Amino acid sequence: MNGDAALARGDARKTAEGLAHLSGFGNEHASEAVPGALPVGRNAPQRAPLGLYAEQLSGTAFTEPRAHNRRSWLYRIRPSAAHPAFTHTHNGHLRTAPFTESVPDPNRLRWNPLPEPVEGTDFLAGLWTLGGNGDVTQRTGMAVHLYHATDSMDRVFSNADGELLIVPERGGLLLRTEFGLLHVEPGHVALIPRGVRFRVELLDTAPNRGQSPTARGYVCENYGAPFQLPDLGPIGANGLANARDFLAPVAAYEDVEGPVEVVNKFCGNLWTATYDHSPLDVVAWHGNHVPYVYDLRRFNVIGSISYDHPDPSIFTVLTSPSDTPGLAGVDFVVFAPRWLVGEDTFRPPYFHRNVMSEYMGLIEGAYDAKAEGFVPGGGSLHNMMSAHGPDRETFDRASAAELKPQKVDDGLAFMFETRWPVTLTAQAARADHLQSHYDDVWRGLERHFRPLH
Ligand SMILES: [Fe+2]
């Protein structure tokens, strides 16, 4: 198709490891791949520098408060408007809210990892929707997707329906976006804002797949307000995910003439068009509607240094606020390495029933509330008011443990926590990799009640 794509097969890893970045979440970044490409002192000069076209991409309404406003100005070889009509194409395993394929399920549910993909599956074809909530046409709610892939994308994807938080579990990715290149590895997340075009290239070869690259992970599609850093309240000015650890790309562009397939997800359907050039042709840009990569191990974990297990909201990396203060459309939460020092405290997550609904995934290792069955690449869903907590083995162990300082660093789990129940897609409700006896992890929790006489 083009020189860049051919180069990606052999040199993507080398390209990924030499990338420069711009530091800081929500900053007004500016970057130019060619000196002089960025206009000075105005956004839309009569003639943009170097013969480029000026174009604004907004992620919020023009009139939203300044603190929430997201937009970027792009200076590109051709305006985005220069494209032929899109035609509807098949959606593969991708589904979108409203989710109506199954009855909302109050049961605790858990899945093993997706089966291995067939050869020739790229990131887009490998997206598999588990479920979600809200209504994409109302810009509310979220979807939980998993992905698995064997091939780099040759085509370019953009999502009008929301932003995409990509959580790799296996295999590094090189993301070629309109704003430049990002490198994301398991243990990192990437955030692609609504409408930003990008291509996913695979970096790694799995031991059991010969020379074929492979990638696997999770995606939170957020239809609602863009993710932002949570307020810190009495924590103070620092802590949790620090703004400077979010890395935006520097401008990089493809100057490619020739057919390029561009797939656009719009109100739940995939639409395709063949451009006569690459739309990744942005030579300079400035603004705050930009993609990011973030290393979850940079998360500054705040916890109890006296007693009790804090509510997991203390582990929030990013939050999509709703119109109700404190009520998130979706939170992204990480259970990062940390010390447990609570005195007279049951230290793993407590038993609970929550109004919020929780999808959990595991990037590596093990999770401290589940001794087994919750594996990297798998996931669990605990919908609104479903009763859950530690399994019996964890309860017994933690109830008897010596309460010396304990480092929890043998796993990296995360949660998409959302205000509405997650309704499953038909494929998730009927999946062969849906575990059939998840309830058994809470069997055998014996009564210990001994009333005093
Ligand atoms: Fe929970």
Side-chain angles (χ1 to χ4, degrees):
M1 176 199 80
N2 61 53
D4 253 328
L7 181 111
R9 293 291 185 271
D11 290 353
R13 166 64 65 182
K14 188 175 171 186
T15 302
E17 290 175 350
L19 296 177
H21 297 103
L22 300 165
S23 165
F25 191 91
N27 280 1
E28 280 288 327
H29 290 302
S31 185
E32 56 186 10
V34 176
L38 198 61
V40 175
R42 66 202 64 215
N43 295 324
Q46 184 179 24
R47 286 184 294 277
L50 310 183
L52 297 169
Y53 288 90
E55 174 184 295
Q56 184 177 206
L57 174 65
S58 69
T60 54
F62 296 146
T63 46
E64 289 191 44
R66 186 180 284 256
H68 300 290
N69 210 293
R70 303 274 182 96
R71 64 88 184 85
S72 289
W73 279 88
L74 312 176
Y75 301 92
R76 54 196 320 146
I77 299 172
R78 286 191 182 81
S80 292
H83 71 80
F86 286 97
T87 56
H88 188 200
T89 185
H90 60 89
N91 295 330
H93 297 288
L94 203 49
R95 298 290 181 272
T96 300
F99 289 94
T100 58
E101 291 180 351
S102 71
V103 175
D105 194 333
N107 282 299
R108 292 85 47 105
L109 300 169
R110 193 163 69 180
W111 291 262
N112 293 323
L114 287 178
E116 293 296 328
V118 298
E119 291 291 336
T121 302
D122 68 9
F123 173 85
L124 178 54
L127 279 171
W128 185 93
T129 307
L130 182 133
N133 55 39
D135 185 335
V136 71
T137 64
Q138 303 298 307
R139 291 203 273 130
T140 59
M142 54 85 74
V144 178
H145 309 285
L146 293 98
Y147 71 87
H148 55 187
T150 65
D151 274 32
S152 294
M153 291 168 65
D154 286 325
R155 50 191 177 167
V156 172
F157 181 48
S158 71
N159 185 22
D161 291 347
E163 62 188 341
L164 298 172
L165 181 74
I166 301 172
V167 186
E169 177 263 323
R170 190 167 80 184
L173 305 175
L174 178 66
L175 307 177
R176 293 182 187 265
T177 80
E178 286 180 278
F179 291 80
L181 281 63
L182 287 173
H183 172 202
V184 55
E185 290 284 333
H188 301 73
V189 294
L191 185 61
I192 307 290
R194 186 189 297 264
V196 171
R197 300 191 192 90
F198 67 104
R199 192 168 64 226
V200 179
E201 295 171 6
L202 276 51
L203 298 179
D204 293 310
T205 301
N208 61 345
R209 296 189 69 87
Q211 292 305 304
S212 297
T214 188
R216 196 170 72 177
Y218 311 82
V219 176
C220 177
E221 183 180 14
N222 172 26
Y223 309 131
F227 274 122
Q228 62 185 49
L229 294 174
D231 288 332
L232 294 177
I235 292 173
N238 306 285
L240 309 188
N242 287 305
R244 75 184 181 107
D245 292 325
F246 286 80
L247 303 177
V250 296
Y253 66 98
E254 295 179 342
D255 186 358
V256 171
E257 303 287 319
V260 176
E261 184 187 6
V262 178
V263 179
N264 176 16
K265 180 171 181 284
F266 180 78
C267 292
N269 291 308
L270 297 183
W271 296 74
T272 182
T274 301
Y275 288 29
D276 61 5
H277 64 282
S278 170
L280 306 181
D281 63 350
V282 177
V283 182
W285 57 265
H286 77 88
N288 61 0
H289 188 63
V290 300
Y292 295 105
V293 63
Y294 173 72
D295 182 349
L296 295 170
R297 296 189 183 281
R298 295 278 181 96
F299 188 82
N300 177 225
V301 184
I302 305 288
S304 171
I305 52 173
S306 57
Y307 60 87
D308 278 356
H309 182 101
D311 296 326
S313 45
I314 202 74
F315 304 141
T316 300
V317 181
L318 292 165
T319 185
S320 169
S322 73
D323 294 338
T324 303
L327 175 59
V330 57
D331 281 338
F332 174 63
V333 175
V334 69
F335 301 88
R338 61 202 180 277
W339 282 93
L340 301 181
V341 297
E343 296 179 322
D344 186 20
T345 291
F346 183 82
R347 289 178 172 177
Y350 44 71
F351 290 106
H352 55 286
R353 294 174 294 158
N354 286 345
V355 68
M356 302 288 273
S357 295
E358 308 166 358
Y359 175 82
M360 282 196 61
L362 188 61
I363 299 165
E364 62 179 42
Y367 175 60
D368 60 336
K370 295 288 183 296
E372 59 183 33
F374 180 55
V375 298
S380 67
L381 177 63
H382 302 143
N383 259 331
M384 176 174 67
M385 289 299 158
S386 81
H388 59 285
D391 59 24
R392 181 193 168 170
E393 184 180 337
T394 304
F395 178 81
D396 290 347
R397 176 168 39 78
S399 300
E402 182 188 354
L403 293 182
K404 58 187 179 185
Q406 176 194 359
K407 184 79 181 285
V408 178
D409 62 356
D410 58 349
L412 190 61
F414 70 90
M415 181 161 66
F416 303 148
E417 182 176 302
T418 171
R419 65 181 296 189
W420 292 298
V422 171
T423 299
L424 300 184
T425 58
Q427 63 197 5
R430 299 174 194 147
D432 289 340
H433 59 287
L434 175 62
Q435 297 179 5
S436 55
H437 300 292
Y438 183 33
D439 289 334
D440 290 354
V441 307
W442 294 286
R443 283 183 63 180
L445 285 162
E446 297 166 0
R447 57 170 291 154
H448 301 291
F449 181 52
R450 299 283 186 273
L452 297 174
H453 294 291

